Amino acid sequence: MPSDDVITAVATAWGEAAIAIVRLSGVGSVALADSFYRGRRPLADEPARRMALGVMTDGTSVVDEVLAVRFERGASYTGEESVEIHCHGGSAAARGCVDILTDAGARAAMPGEFTKRAFLNGRMDLAQAEAVLGVIRARSDAELASSGRALQGELSSRLMELADDLTELSASIEARIDFPEDVDDAETEEFARGIVCIKNKADILLERCRVGLTLRNGVRAAIAGRPNVGKSSLMNALLGSERAIVTDIPGTTRDTLDATLVHRGLSITLVDTAGVRDVPDFLGDAGMIESLGVERSRSAIKEADFCVLVIDASEGPADDDMTAAMSTHGKPAILAANKCDLPPAEPGAVSLGDFAREINVSALTGEGMTELKDAIFELAFGSSAASDGLMSTERVVNVLASARKCVSDASSALEHACGVDVAGSLLAEAAEYIASPLGRDASEELLDEIFSSFCVGK
Ligand SMILES: Nc1nc2c(ncn2[C@@H]2O[C@H](COP(=O)(O)OP(=O)(O)O)[C@@H](O)[C@H]2O)c(=O)[nH]1
Ligand SMILES: [Mg+2]
């Protein structure tokens, strides 16, 4: 599907840098570049994919000395005839080249338009195109590896394999339903075995995609607890920097504060909260401000994926600890018993609830910081290995979950003799869900939504 216009954009980041790359793609890119490129010979006469030294001119004067390379249709990123011009870094030279090219009729590319063309020209499927964004945005090795696997086509081939299995099984079921009375027990059992096998594959893929999504999105962990237990100190100790203000005056932190760290490849956004307690009336205006902070803390906790409930292990449990613990209800939580450098208080009889882990920490000495980060990591991934992650999006995880539901419904339908045909059509429906992330029938709106989140030049 050749595009009838030539698009151009700077593909590198703006700002001071060694080089900047200007891209051109579409039929006529080489001729357009040749109107301004002067080298030993025109680019059209240079071998494809070989850098040539020359200058870009605006017709009268030289804009920049450049290296230029042409790509042939079918052998470029977009699949179209393309040119890359490597000029000097900084914005001016690249801007100058793009201006010349757009004045001569090239169109400034939209965000993600090169990758969109690569998709439309069959150079990659939609799952791979989305993985490109994952690679660009990766903040850690684990995220990069999970995006890289998807970009290399591992997600696509797993999806295709599963869709094929589903189509095949639904076809063999459907071939039998013209004569449902003939479907004997042995055959039903064989279908059931096929479904179990698919279900297992779908579970593994779904889990790998969930891991990839968690790596991509990162997690938010709210640091909760009553005032003065050391939440801000703990946040600073986890970050290894003095981000939050720490004092011994209860109520110092009045607003929530975010900061992100990367632990074992997982990006963890910590949210320091003002702390939750019943604010005493005698505090007057200060109390009113603190109450607003308490409200913000509650909403920060609601928005978080997990909570770290901090208590002061050197003091006995207080009523306010209970109030704070209540505010974390419904979230997976870790109990951090802080100030373990001080003599511990007598153990109290009250229980603050159920915690995934209970860890003794000291924000002062740094004890327990790695255990705490590990605990957050384990809450995020459960028993799955982060190293198995396949970069995906909410959309992919949702369609996989829908497909998974169809498959288990098909399995229940099969248990009823009359449900054989229902099982067949549920499996066919699941196959459609599974294939959708590849984007074969993606609507124009969906494509726009996906590619508009890319940067210009990609
Ligand atoms: N000994 C000791 N003191 C701590 C520890 N963590 C915090 N503190 C002190 O406890 C007080 C309250 O700390 P802060 O982080 O402001 O508590 P927040 O109100 O929960 O944010 C400060 O005086 C800190 O220096 C710790 O692990 N050990
Ligand atoms: Mg604080």
Side-chain angles (χ1 to χ4, degrees):
M1 193 196 294
S3 310
D4 49 14
D5 56 352
V6 173
I7 52 170
T8 185
V10 179
T12 39
W14 289 99
E16 243 176 73
I19 57 166
I21 301 176
V22 175
R23 255 185 180 162
L24 279 156
S25 181
V27 177
S29 298
V30 176
L32 190 65
D34 267 337
S35 339
F36 305 99
Y37 170 83
R38 299 286 170 269
R40 253 184 9 174
R41 51 178 97 89
L43 274 182
D45 298 336
E46 293 284 359
R49 296 178 164 214
R50 197 147 97 206
M51 287 274 202
L53 179 66
V55 294
M56 283 295 280
T57 68
D58 59 7
T60 47
S61 54
V62 169
V63 175
D64 194 15
E65 188 177 43
V66 301
L67 281 169
V69 54
R70 73 177 177 92
F71 300 89
E72 282 173 342
R73 182 168 163 238
S76 70
Y77 180 72
T78 55
E80 302 170 336
E81 173 188 332
S82 306
V83 174
E84 275 180 17
I85 299 165
H86 296 223
C87 44
H88 284 100
S91 321
R95 177 84 271 157
C97 291
V98 166
D99 286 349
I100 294 167
L101 295 164
T102 49
D103 285 350
R107 176 168 63 73
M110 310 280 283
E113 198 171 358
F114 291 92
T115 309
K116 186 178 178 185
R117 286 189 173 191
F119 164 70
L120 292 174
N121 291 320
R123 300 289 293 173
M124 54 177 84
D125 60 49
L126 204 52
Q128 288 172 300
E130 292 197 282
V132 169
L133 198 58
V135 169
I136 293 175
R137 300 223 170 123
R139 291 154 296 190
S140 72
D141 291 350
E143 217 182 318
L144 181 63
S146 121
S147 302
R149 281 190 283 272
L151 181 58
Q152 298 300 314
E154 194 171 338
L155 174 59
S156 311
S157 57
R158 293 277 170 277
L159 289 168
M160 257 180 297
E161 188 185 317
L162 205 51
D164 287 348
D165 287 358
L166 282 161
T167 312
E168 199 177 303
L169 188 59
S170 93
S172 42
I173 292 178
E174 259 153 33
R176 301 295 290 124
I177 56 176
D178 291 338
F179 313 98
E181 58 284 357
D182 292 353
V183 180
D184 58 26
D185 284 354
E187 222 167 356
T188 312
E189 254 172 50
E190 196 189 315
F191 293 151
R193 267 198 304 276
I195 291 182
V196 168
C197 177
I198 288 175
K199 223 173 6 183
N200 291 341
K201 276 193 193 171
D203 282 342
I204 293 170
L205 186 58
L206 182 57
E207 197 43 43
R208 292 186 66 190
C209 288
R210 280 209 178 109
V211 168
L213 185 62
T214 303
L215 280 171
R216 177 190 175 113
N217 288 348
V219 293
R220 279 179 88 77
I223 304 179
R226 68 176 165 88
N228 240 22
V229 289
K231 297 179 298 299
S232 299
S233 307
L234 191 64
M235 162 114 156
N236 290 340
L238 286 166
L239 291 168
S241 71
E242 299 302 310
R243 183 70 213 279
I245 299 171
V246 172
T247 73
D248 55 5
I249 307 160
T252 305
T253 310
R254 285 170 164 177
D255 207 346
T256 56
L257 190 67
D258 295 9
T260 302
L261 62 89
V262 174
H263 181 63
R264 289 161 65 187
L266 174 66
S267 140
I268 303 171
T269 299
L270 298 169
V271 189
D272 182 23
T273 67
V276 172
R277 66 164 172 169
D278 295 319
V279 180
D281 289 337
F282 65 79
L283 288 176
D285 282 353
M288 191 200 68
I289 297 172
E290 193 186 331
S291 299
L292 290 174
V294 168
E295 266 327 293
R296 288 206 178 176
S297 305
R298 289 186 189 280
S299 41
I301 290 167
K302 281 207 189 86
E303 282 164 24
D305 300 298
F306 314 120
C307 279
V308 176
L309 180 71
V310 186
I311 57 165
D312 183 336
S314 71
E315 289 181 7
D319 286 350
D320 284 336
D321 284 321
M322 205 60 209
T323 310
M326 298 287 282
S327 72
T328 70
H329 275 188
K331 291 279 165 185
I334 297 162
L335 184 71
N338 191 32
K339 309 196 187 181
C340 72
D341 53 289
L342 298 176
E346 290 295 309
V350 286
S351 158
L352 293 174
D354 288 329
F355 298 94
R357 284 281 302 281
E358 300 190 9
I359 302 170
N360 289 329
V361 299
S362 167
L364 193 71
T365 65
E367 187 179 333
M369 292 306 120
T370 307
E371 284 96 315
L372 188 50
K373 289 187 235 179
D374 281 344
I376 296 174
F377 183 92
E378 278 148 27
L379 268 188
F381 293 120
S383 57
S384 310
S387 56
D388 277 349
L390 270 179
M391 200 289 308
S392 66
T393 59
E394 272 89 1
R395 195 173 52 81
V396 173
V397 167
N398 289 342
V399 296
L400 275 172
S402 305
R404 177 65 183 74
K405 170 138 198 330
C406 288
V407 176
S408 54
D409 288 352
S411 153
S412 329
L414 205 61
E415 283 164 22
H416 306 280
C418 59
V420 182
D421 52 344
V422 178
S425 57
L426 280 166
L427 293 178
E429 191 183 335
E432 266 174 49
Y433 275 125
I434 296 274
S436 66
L438 300 170
R440 283 180 204 140
D441 308 310
S443 65
E444 196 54 42
E445 293 83 67
L446 178 63
L447 295 183
D448 284 346
E449 187 193 316
I450 290 173
F451 290 106
S452 63
S453 57
F454 280 61
C455 34
V456 171
K458 187 64 224 178

